Amino acid sequence: VDRSMAAAGRAHERERAAYGAHTVREARTFARRDTHVYYASMRRLVCASASSVAEEGSDKMVNFFSGRGKDAARAAGLLALFACWYGFNIVFNIYNKQILKSFPYPVTVTFIELGVGSALIAAMWASGAKKAPTLNREMLKPIIPLAVIHTVGNLLTNVSLGKVAVSFTHTIKAMEPFFSVLLSALFLGDIPSLAVVGALVPVVGGVALASITEVSFNWAGFFAAMGSNITFQSRNVLSKKMMGLSSIKGAIDNINLFSVITMLSCLVCLPIAMGLEGVRFTPQAMAAAGLNVGELIQRLAIAGFCFQMYQQISYMILSRVTPVTHSVGNCMKRVTVIVVTLIYFKNPVSPLNIAGTALALFGVFLYSRAKQNEKGAKKEKAAAAAVAVPTSSGASGAYTDEFRRITGLS
């Protein structure tokens, strides 16, 4: 506005000089006319500027509230996913425990739950909610071992849930980071940092304290839970190696990989269930055992549905947050399951048992933070190595293949 007023003032002076007025009356006439034109132009300019500022402010305000609205909607959606993840997991554990109390056949229960999950996956693919993967023999070769390990892990988890309290099973399963570090070091050559190793001390100590003071402790339930830790972490390590194979890499995403593994696990579990426990999954066999068939089938369907849903939602959350956020969320989920099942089943616990559980879960949290810091340090080291141009081989100033791969330069 100031620049426009100054320009208008200069034009006004030039116009007055061009008038060449010689009489007082002419000078006054020209002055009145120039003043009227000057202020009229100023009014138009100020109004236009005010309108422009108001319009720009309005656009900024709309963009501001629109951005805030999108962030709020995104946060609300993520919060809903976490709530569903926790809720489905809690319902699964409660119903699973009730089923195993009245129907003590963990292999058959595992088979039925995997079968319900397989039916849901087939419906997901058939409805177009998720595109079904295109599989071939070369892809199935590395996936089948994963399915076998997945079957054994779920089977051992159900054995443990049938033998000891749900809260104790989940306390033992807090040892997963320990086996993850151990197996990664043995098979992937991934040597952990001192911070990661230090974070495992409260995990191991907490599980040991909780085990010593657990009222429902028995060795079968303890070793079954430990075995599920080993098998599941072996599955994760093997998955990392398999996803790098040329036959799988880029051909299938994590959700479809888990879906295929679930369906193959159902097929693997069927002969194991029939061989170890006989045919227990027919309504006739259930009725012969003196069970309420309708109630049992309903609970099995709910448990299988919740099992599949909390696994799928876990992958959905992982695609929206960082791995450390997902890990911390998983730790808090375990805390929630332990607390809710303790209250629901009214399991007796001692102060030392609570202290051991809390110590183990706190160690899992420290482990998550240490792993995140370790990954950050590796990225910084790789970035620093990429900046330095090597001169030890080849022509002076030539880039190495590693530098070209990281930077895309030639």
Side-chain angles (χ1 to χ4, degrees), residues 184-261:
S184 295
L186 290 176
F187 296 104
L188 300 179
D190 188 6
I191 306 301
S193 63
L194 290 177
V196 170
V197 175
L200 294 176
V201 174
V203 174
V204 177
V207 171
L209 180 60
S211 300
I212 292 171
T213 57
E214 174 59 37
V215 176
S216 67
F217 180 87
N218 70 64
W219 287 108
F222 176 82
F223 282 122
M226 281 295 185
S228 72
N229 282 339
I230 295 172
T231 52
F232 280 134
Q233 294 311 310
S234 299
R235 180 197 63 185
N236 294 343
V237 171
L238 189 60
S239 294
K240 291 180 181 178
K241 293 180 72 70
M242 295 305 176
M243 289 301 285
L245 297 177
S246 58
S247 60
I248 293 181
K249 191 174 184 180
I252 187 170
D253 60 20
N254 286 333
I255 292 179
N256 273 335
L257 177 61
F258 172 74
S259 300
V260 172
I261 289 174

Side-chain angles (χ1 to χ4, degrees), residues 89-90 93 165-174 210 214 331-347 349 353-354 356-358 360-361:
N89 201 285
I90 290 169
N93 280 279
V166 175
S167 57
F168 184 53
T169 297
H170 280 274
T171 301
I172 299 172
K173 286 177 74 64
E214 174 59 37
C331 179
M332 295 306 299
K333 174 180 67 68
R334 201 174 295 283
V335 172
T336 306
V337 170
I338 289 173
V339 172
V340 172
T341 54
L342 279 175
I343 295 172
Y344 186 86
F345 292 110
K346 299 178 181 178
N347 300 123
V349 289
N353 187 268
I354 295 173
T357 302
L361 295 172

Side-chain angles (χ1 to χ4, degrees), residues 98-250:
Q98 290 175 338
I99 292 166
L100 291 167
K101 278 184 175 180
S102 60
F103 188 68
Y105 302 104
V107 186
T108 301
V109 171
T110 303
F111 164 69
I112 294 173
E113 289 170 351
L114 290 170
V116 173
S118 299
L120 291 173
I121 292 166
M124 176 183 70
W125 287 341
S127 65
K130 181 75 176 177
K131 185 179 179 181
T134 302
L135 300 175
N136 54 48
R137 183 176 298 179
E138 293 302 316
M139 292 177 65
L140 286 175
K141 282 181 181 178
I143 293 177
I144 289 175
L146 293 176
V148 174
I149 295 173
H150 184 72
T151 304
V152 175
N154 282 291
L155 193 157
L156 290 175
T157 298
N158 278 341
V159 170
S160 179
L161 288 172
K163 298 291 184 181
V164 297
V166 175
S167 57
F168 184 53
T169 297
H170 280 274
T171 301
I172 299 172
K173 286 177 74 64
M175 283 277 289
E176 285 179 352
F178 173 82
F179 292 104
S180 176
V181 170
L182 178 63
L183 294 173
S184 295
L186 290 176
F187 296 104
L188 300 179
D190 188 6
I191 306 301
S193 63
L194 290 177
V196 170
V197 175
L200 294 176
V201 174
V203 174
V204 177
V207 171
L209 180 60
S211 300
I212 292 171
T213 57
E214 174 59 37
V215 176
S216 67
F217 180 87
N218 70 64
W219 287 108
F222 176 82
F223 282 122
M226 281 295 185
S228 72
N229 282 339
I230 295 172
T231 52
F232 280 134
Q233 294 311 310
S234 299
R235 180 197 63 185
N236 294 343
V237 171
L238 189 60
S239 294
K240 291 180 181 178
K241 293 180 72 70
M242 295 305 176
M243 289 301 285
L245 297 177
S246 58
S247 60
I248 293 181
K249 191 174 184 180

Side-chain angles (χ1 to χ4, degrees), residues 235-367:
R235 180 197 63 185
N236 294 343
V237 171
L238 189 60
S239 294
K240 291 180 181 178
K241 293 180 72 70
M242 295 305 176
M243 289 301 285
L245 297 177
S246 58
S247 60
I248 293 181
K249 191 174 184 180
I252 187 170
D253 60 20
N254 286 333
I255 292 179
N256 273 335
L257 177 61
F258 172 74
S259 300
V260 172
I261 289 174
T262 299
M263 300 183 84
L264 290 175
S265 295
C266 182
L267 297 176
V268 170
C269 197
L270 176 59
I272 299 175
M274 294 178 66
L276 294 179
E277 298 174 347
V279 181
R280 302 286 182 177
F281 48 81
T282 64
Q284 293 78 9
M286 294 177 185
L291 300 172
N292 186 328
V293 177
E295 182 180 354
L296 182 59
I297 291 176
Q298 181 184 28
R299 287 181 175 178
L300 284 167
I302 292 173
F305 174 79
C306 292
F307 171 76
Q308 182 63 27
M309 291 305 297
Y310 89 74
Q311 297 273 13
Q312 293 284 4
I313 291 173
S314 175
Y315 280 109
M316 292 171 65
I317 292 174
L318 187 58
S319 67
R320 290 167 169 79
V321 301
T322 61
V324 69
T325 301
H326 185 273
S327 182
V328 172
N330 190 50
C331 179
M332 295 306 299
K333 174 180 67 68
R334 201 174 295 283
V335 172
T336 306
V337 170
I338 289 173
V339 172
V340 172
T341 54
L342 279 175
I343 295 172
Y344 186 86
F345 292 110
K346 299 178 181 178
N347 300 123
V349 289
S350 66
L352 283 177
N353 187 268
I354 295 173
T357 302
L359 181 62
L361 295 172
F362 179 66
V364 174
F365 173 77
L366 293 179
Y367 168 81

